[in-house]
Amino acid sequence: MKRLWHGFALGLALLFLTAPPALAQEEIRIGVIYPLTGAAASTGLELKNALELAADIINNGTKGLNLPLSTTGGLPNLKGAKIKLIFGDHQGNPQTGATEAERLISQEKVVALVCCYFSNVTNTASQVAERNGIPFMNPESSSATLTQRGFKWFFRTTPHDDLFVTNFFEFLKDVEKKKNISVKRISLFNENTLFGTETTKIEEKLAGEQKYPIVEKILYPAKSTQLTSEVQRIKAANPDLIMQSSYLGDAILSMKTYKELGVSPDALLANDAGFNDSEFLKTLGKDGEYILSREVWALDLAGKNPLIKQVNDLYFERYKTNFNGNSARTFTGLMALAEAINRAGSTKPEAIQKALVETNIPGSKLIMPWKGIKFDATGQNTLGSGIIVQVQDGKYVTVWPFDLASKDIIWPMPKWDQRK
């Protein structure tokens, strides 16, 4: 009997010696869905890079950064658990995005999703998350209706197009008042997915309310391979200002077509997206100069927030390019999600959802020029804000609000034949 007991005790001791510590270093599996192939693959790569930098900062710690979880080396409330990103590729296709969301939830067992840049893909993928009761973090998609669906699992850190287009018209009023510049003829030139169509509706509404005449409105097919007839209509309308919403390929194609057909308004005011992608200026060079765009981030704001430069330096060291508004927002979205998971102290979806609802991150802990991150009942961050940047000498510089501006606005843009 004693031999049996000693054998049992020895076996039990060996079991405890060889078994891994319970819950220590658990992986927190987060699903990520972006356009990693296809026309927007370069954008998707930038977003992927931003997420991997954020995960590395959280998992391994980086001294001297005033970011959530930047010095802990993992999630302290989950015994040092590390973030593991599981990637999916939606290729710019809404149905593919939904399919990838299903795969990540059912097969990869992710505890939350970060997705999707394209508003129309975010729309379908988030429906899958809502149906499955999985927290969905949306760092970039700006279509206002995404937070008007009554969803309980959807959270968006970026401001939306209602705010951004309102900024457009606030900017025009300030330019008129302080620069004595008057805009009398506006053309709308937007792609025809959820992003562009919703933006068009808001632009029409606000232009009507504020008495800005719209002389042409064009919704062109997304992923167009030629825009000649559409740009000819813009030329015939002869606007002072073009308001444009385009993803990368369309933004580059339109600029080339403007030059080819001699379309040169006083200003082009873009709704971010393709006009702020790093490939935009790499491809167009000086032909991308003087474009105005709404933004949420700019490197020249580092003078007011040193954290911007500190994190951008890490990104540049690793990827040899600067953050832009897209990648900076994506970085911030994962930081906010990880901070909530840590506060939840759990990987259960209900606990993470509750923590997201209670999120209150101050602006001092962000690389964005926002007051912070705090979600309302619809899942929309109420503390975000926008700026206007302009391409000057190959850089995006802040020109509005005027109290944040690092450079004076150049208006009108030089005509094509007058550019150096």
Side-chain angles (χ1 to χ4, degrees):
M1 190 70 179
K2 288 184 178 180
R3 287 181 181 178
L4 287 173
W5 170 250
H6 285 306
F8 174 75
L10 180 61
L12 193 62
L14 288 172
L15 177 65
F16 278 105
L17 286 172
T18 57
L23 298 179
Q25 300 298 307
E26 178 187 358
E27 285 184 346
I28 310 298
R29 297 170 67 83
I30 296 176
V32 177
I33 312 173
Y34 284 108
L36 303 179
T37 60
S42 63
T43 303
L45 177 61
E46 289 187 337
L47 306 184
K48 181 175 183 286
N49 290 344
L51 290 167
E52 289 181 337
L53 176 63
D56 184 57
I57 290 172
I58 294 165
N59 289 341
N60 300 309
T62 303
K63 292 182 179 180
L65 296 182
N66 187 31
L67 289 169
L69 304 172
S70 61
T71 60
T72 55
L75 305 189
N77 292 346
L78 282 160
K79 299 186 178 181
K82 309 292 187 182
I83 297 291
K84 183 175 178 60
L85 303 175
I86 313 295
F87 288 94
D89 177 13
H90 64 60
Q91 303 169 17
N93 184 301
Q95 186 52 52
T96 303
T99 301
E100 285 292 82
E102 290 277 11
R103 178 183 68 84
L104 290 169
I105 293 169
S106 63
Q107 297 179 28
E108 298 291 348
K109 307 300 181 184
V110 300
V111 302
L113 289 173
V114 178
C115 180
C116 294
Y117 180 65
F118 285 105
S119 288
N120 59 339
V121 183
T122 296
N123 181 44
T124 56
S126 60
Q127 292 176 39
V128 175
E130 190 73 13
R131 189 166 61 246
N132 285 276
I134 294 294
F136 189 103
M137 173 60 72
N138 176 225
E140 325 86 6
S141 300
S142 57
S143 293
T145 56
L146 291 171
T147 45
Q148 296 170 4
R149 298 174 293 171
F151 282 14
K152 301 301 182 185
W153 298 86
F154 184 89
F155 298 86
R156 173 164 55 186
T157 44
T158 184
H160 53 64
D161 286 323
D162 270 345
L163 181 142
F164 289 135
V165 177
T166 298
N167 284 168
F168 281 1
F169 289 95
E170 292 171 342
F171 166 68
L172 293 181
K173 291 295 185 185
D174 277 358
V175 164
E176 183 175 358
K177 180 179 179 181
K178 298 184 180 181
K179 305 293 182 181
N180 199 29
I181 295 169
S182 180
V183 173
K184 297 180 179 178
R185 299 172 63 82
I186 297 175
S187 286
L188 307 182
F189 194 51
N190 299 326
E191 58 91 51
N192 69 350
T193 70
L194 187 64
F195 169 51
T197 55
E198 287 193 2
T199 299
T200 301
K201 292 175 184 177
I202 301 167
E203 289 170 341
E204 286 185 294
K205 176 178 178 289
L206 293 179
E209 290 175 355
Q210 301 189 34
K211 311 302 181 187
Y212 285 98
I214 294 177
V215 296
E216 182 62 275
K217 178 186 76 172
I218 296 173
L219 283 163
Y220 66 85
K223 301 180 183 178
S224 291
T225 57
Q226 69 85 25
L227 292 169
T228 302
S229 61
E230 290 88 348
V231 172
Q232 285 173 334
R233 285 171 56 189
I234 295 289
K235 184 175 183 179
N238 191 30
D240 304 323
L241 171 69
I242 297 173
M243 289 185 177
Q244 185 165 343
S245 300
S246 302
Y247 291 115
L248 178 61
D250 313 336
I252 292 171
L253 178 59
S254 64
M255 292 301 296
K256 290 180 176 179
T257 311
Y258 291 147
K259 184 177 182 180
E260 178 185 341
L261 298 181
V263 176
S264 189
D266 289 345
L268 191 156
L269 182 53
N271 193 14
D272 192 57
F275 287 92
N276 296 68
D277 191 288
S278 297
E279 290 298 317
F280 180 76
L281 289 183
K282 287 181 184 177
T283 302
L284 291 174
K286 291 185 178 181
D287 287 346
E289 287 283 315
Y290 310 112
I291 294 299
L292 293 159
S293 180
R294 64 93 170 165
E295 251 298 8
V296 288
W297 182 94
L299 186 54
D300 63 7
L301 295 176
K304 294 180 171 60
N305 181 3
L307 186 60
I308 291 174
K309 183 178 186 304
Q310 289 176 300
V311 178
N312 187 78
D313 285 348
L314 294 174
Y315 188 79
F316 188 88
E317 181 181 359
R318 185 177 293 201
Y319 303 115
K320 307 309 175 189
T321 189
N322 292 319
F323 269 121
N324 56 35
N326 295 327
S327 50
R329 280 187 296 179
T330 303
F331 175 93
T332 300
L334 182 58
M335 281 287 174
L337 176 59
E339 191 270 349
I341 294 173
N342 182 62
R343 272 189 294 108
S346 170
T347 56
K348 292 181 178 179
E350 296 82 1
I352 297 171
Q353 179 202 41
K354 182 176 183 294
L356 282 166
V357 168
E358 297 169 353
T359 294
N360 191 3
I361 302 174
S364 61
K365 288 184 172 291
L366 302 177
I367 63 170
M368 314 304 293
W370 300 344
K371 293 179 181 178
I373 297 176
K374 188 174 185 179
F375 299 108
D376 64 16
T378 72
Q380 176 63 50
N381 177 22
T382 61
L383 302 179
S385 56
I387 59 175
I388 303 289
V389 298
Q390 185 173 42
V391 180
Q392 296 184 14
D393 297 323
K395 297 180 180 179
Y396 294 90
V397 297
T398 305
V399 295
W400 184 88
F402 294 129
D403 61 344
L404 293 179
S406 64
K407 297 282 187 180
D408 197 13
I409 190 171
I410 297 174
W411 189 311
M413 298 191 296
K415 303 299 181 185
W416 290 108
D417 59 0
Q418 296 172 350
R419 299 189 184 194
K420 297 179 181 178

